[in-house]
C-alpha cells in the first residue's frame, strides 16, 4: 500500500531543493528559460523541474538486423525493399527500418516510375479519379500532394488515408483526397528507408555503408502545409559510431533526441550502433498529446536533393507552397512521426 502522505513529503523536499538551488519558476507549469539538462543528472532539481517521473532512455542495437521480409517491394532497376528485426541490449525487439502498416491503401500516383506513371504537371491530375477517403461524413473534402524521401503513411483525425506506394527507391510522388472535419489532426509516419537493415545505410557514392538522407513535403488544399509549425519526433537513429553520440534532454517540457556531435558519415560500417524508441500507441489519434514533441526542422530543397528530380519538380506549383521538414537530423533520424492540428482551414495562399 502506498502511504498517502509520502508523495506530498517528496514533493515538499523536491521543491525545497529547487528553491535552495536558485530556480525561481518551480510553480510555473512550463519553466520559462531553464534547461533541465543543466541540472546534475538524477538530482532532485532535475526530477522536480521537468515534471516527469524518469529521464528518457533509448534502446541500443549494434550491427546488422536479421532480414524478416526479403522483398517487401520490388521495382525493376531499383533497390529491393526489405524489413528486418534486431534485438537491443535491453532485450527488446525492433522492426527496422520501421514497423509499417502494409495493409494501408496505396495513394494515387503523380509520379511512379515502377508503374510508368509520370504526370507532366499538377494541371494534368484528374481529381475525379482520385478516391475520396471518408474520415468524417460531414467533413470538408481536402486534396493533398505528398513527396517523401522515402516513405509515408498519412492519418487524418486518427484514421488512415493512404501510404506511399514505393517504400524505398525510386523517388515517387502522390496525390490524396479525404473528407474530414475540423479541428483536423494531420499525422504522418515518415521513414528514410535503408539497404543495410539496422544500420541506416545504403550502397551509394562508392560507399557500401553510406548513410541515406530524408525529407518530406505535403501540401493540402485547405492551406495546411508542412512547415515549422508541425511537431516531429524521431524513433530510430542510425548509424551512430558511439552510443554517446545520442543526446537526450528535456527542455521546457520538450523531449529532445539529438545528435549534435555525431558524424553523418561514420566509419563504423557493420558495427555501427542504432538508437530505438517505442512508438506510442495511438500516436495518430486526435486526442494524443504531442506537447512533448519538438517542432519540426525545415530544410531546403537543396538539402533534400530534389531540385533535379522530376517526381518533385513537375509538381512544384503545389509542393513549392510547403517546406521540406524532418526532425533535427536529416541523415541520422530514420523513422519520424509528424503531427499538426488545425482548428479551421487556414487562409489558402
Ligand atoms: Ca516513396
Ligand atoms: Ca533516403
Ligand atoms: Ca538516414
Amino acid at each position: 500500500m502506498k502511504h498517502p502522505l509520502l508523495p506530498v513529503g517528496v514533493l515538499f523536499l523536491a521543491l525545497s531543493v529547487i528553491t535552495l538551488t536558485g530556480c525561481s519558476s518551480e510553480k510555473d507549469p512550463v519553466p520559462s528559460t531553464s534547461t533541465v539538462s543543466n541540472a546534475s543528472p538524477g538530482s532532485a532539481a532535475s526530477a522536480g523541474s521537468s515534471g516527469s517521473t524518469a529521464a528518457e532512455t533509448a534502446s541500443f542495437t549494434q550491427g546488422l538486423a536479421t532480414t524478416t521480409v526479403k522483398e517487401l517491394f520490388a521495382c525493376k532497376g531499383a533497390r529491393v525493399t526489405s524489413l528486418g528485426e534486431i534485438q537491443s541490449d535491453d532485450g527488446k525487439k525492433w522492426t527496422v527500418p520501421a514497423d509499417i502498416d502494409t495493409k494501408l491503401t496505396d495513394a494515387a500516383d503523380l509520379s511512379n516510375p515502377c508503374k510508368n506513371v509520370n504526370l507532366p504537371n499538377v494541371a494534368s491530375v484528374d481529381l475525379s479519379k482520385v478516391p475520396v477517403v471518408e474520415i468524417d461524413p460531414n467533413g470538408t473534402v481536402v486534396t493533398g500532394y505528398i513527396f517523401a524521401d522515402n516513405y509515408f503513411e498519412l492519418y487524418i483525425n486518427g484514421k488512415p488515408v493512404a501510404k506511399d506506394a514505393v517504400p524505398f527507391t525510386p523517388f515517387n510522388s502522390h496525390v490524396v483526397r479525404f473528407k474530414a472535419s475540423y479541428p483536423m489532426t494531420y499525422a504522418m509516419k515518415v521513414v528514410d528507408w535503408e539497404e543495410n537493415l539496422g544500420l541506416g545505410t545504403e550502397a551509394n557514392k562508392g560507399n557500401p555503408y553510406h548513410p541515406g538522407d530524408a525529407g518530406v513535403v505535403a501540401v493540402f488544399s485547405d492551406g495546411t502545409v508542412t512547415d515549422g509549425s508541425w511537431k516531429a519526433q524521431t524513433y530510430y537513429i542510425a548509424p551512430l559510431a558511439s552510443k554517446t553520440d545520442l543526446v537526450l534532454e528535456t527542455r521546457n517540457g520538450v523531449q529532445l533526441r539529438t545528435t549534435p556531435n555525431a558524424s553523418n558519415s561514420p566509419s563504423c560500417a557493420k558495427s555501427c550502433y542504432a538508437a530505438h524508441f517505442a512508438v506510442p500507441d495511438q500516436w495518430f489519434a486526435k486526442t494524443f498529446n504531442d506537447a512533448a514533441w519538438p517542432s519540426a526542422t525545415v530544410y531546403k530543397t537543396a538539402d533534400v536533393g530534389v531540385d533535379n528530380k522530376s517526381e518533385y519538380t513537375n509538381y512544384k506549383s503545389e509542393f513549392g507552397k510547403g517546406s521540406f521538414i524532418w526532425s533535427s537530423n536529416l541523415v541520422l533520424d530514420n523513422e519520424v512521426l509528424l503531427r499538426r492540428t488545425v482548428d479551421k482551414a487556414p487562409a489558402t495562399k
Side-chain angles (χ1 to χ4, degrees):
M1 292 285 284
K2 286 180 183 171
H3 194 288
L5 290 179
L6 186 56
V8 177
V10 169
L11 181 64
F12 177 77
L13 276 173
L15 290 176
S16 302
V17 172
I18 290 164
T19 304
L20 287 170
T21 52
C23 175
S24 61
S25 60
E26 72 273 16
K27 285 178 183 169
D28 294 340
V30 178
S32 51
T33 55
S34 63
T35 302
V36 170
S37 62
N38 284 347
S40 314
S43 72
S46 175
S49 60
S50 74
S52 60
T53 51
E56 192 179 38
T57 55
S59 295
F60 286 97
T61 57
Q62 186 179 19
L64 267 174
T66 303
T67 302
T68 51
V69 181
K70 190 162 180 359
E71 195 171 278
L72 179 70
F73 181 83
C75 174
K76 199 178 175 194
R79 299 171 198 271
V80 173
T81 305
S82 307
L83 282 170
E85 185 178 85
I86 189 165
Q87 186 168 318
S88 49
D89 47 16
D90 55 7
K92 296 175 184 167
K93 285 187 175 167
W94 304 89
T95 298
V96 286
D99 198 4
I100 65 162
D101 189 347
T102 55
K103 295 191 294 295
L104 295 189
T105 308
D106 286 347
D109 295 312
L110 289 174
S111 175
N112 184 342
C114 303
K115 292 200 269 180
N116 285 320
V117 174
N118 190 22
L119 301 180
N121 49 45
V122 172
S124 55
V125 178
D126 183 354
L127 289 180
S128 70
K129 297 229 171 74
V130 179
V132 177
V133 177
E134 185 171 292
I135 304 295
D136 304 306
N138 299 318
T140 305
V141 174
V142 175
T143 300
Y145 298 88
I146 306 173
F147 176 101
D149 178 351
N150 295 96
Y151 172 81
F152 74 85
E153 292 173 2
L154 173 67
Y155 301 82
I156 300 293
N157 291 345
K159 294 175 185 166
V161 173
K163 72 176 190 300
D164 193 328
V166 184
F168 195 2
T169 59
F171 282 139
N172 65 308
S173 48
H174 283 299
V175 54
V176 296
R177 303 191 87 196
F178 52 86
K179 188 181 204 181
S181 303
Y182 295 93
M184 202 178 292
T185 298
Y186 290 80
M188 297 179 79
K189 175 181 282 187
V190 284
V191 182
D192 181 32
W193 217 274
E194 59 192 5
E195 193 167 37
N196 302 310
L197 296 170
L199 294 172
T201 54
E202 63 199 31
N204 205 339
K205 299 173 182 169
N207 176 4
Y209 299 101
H210 174 81
D213 64 2
V216 61
V217 61
V219 169
F220 299 95
S221 60
D222 68 347
T224 304
V225 300
T226 46
D227 59 20
S229 71
W230 287 55
K231 294 297 192 81
Q233 184 59 289
T234 181
Y235 288 84
Y236 171 42
I237 306 171
L240 297 172
S242 159
K243 295 179 186 179
T244 57
D245 283 339
L246 176 66
V247 177
L248 299 176
E249 57 181 323
T250 303
R251 194 182 293 171
N252 294 343
V254 175
Q255 291 184 312
L256 302 174
R257 304 167 178 173
T258 62
T259 43
N261 303 313
S263 168
N264 277 356
S265 54
S267 56
C268 40
K270 278 185 194 167
S271 58
C272 291
Y273 292 94
H276 307 260
F277 300 84
V279 170
D281 284 342
Q282 298 298 309
W283 63 271
F284 43 77
K286 286 182 82 144
T287 52
F288 181 81
N289 184 355
D290 58 23
W293 289 10
S295 295
T297 302
V298 172
Y299 295 91
K300 297 186 177 78
T301 53
D303 298 330
V304 184
V306 293
D307 285 332
N308 60 350
K309 302 286 189 301
S310 65
E311 298 82 4
Y312 170 82
T313 57
N314 282 2
Y315 321 105
K316 204 167 178 183
S317 62
E318 284 296 329
F319 289 141
K321 296 174 183 172
S323 302
F324 275 95
I325 61 170
W326 204 253
S327 50
S328 65
N329 194 314
L330 193 65
V331 174
L332 302 182
D333 292 346
N334 301 315
E335 180 185 14
V336 173
L337 301 182
L338 304 169
R339 284 175 59 93
R340 170 91 170 97
T341 296
V342 293
D343 291 334
K344 57 186 172 58
T348 308
K349 287 170 197 160

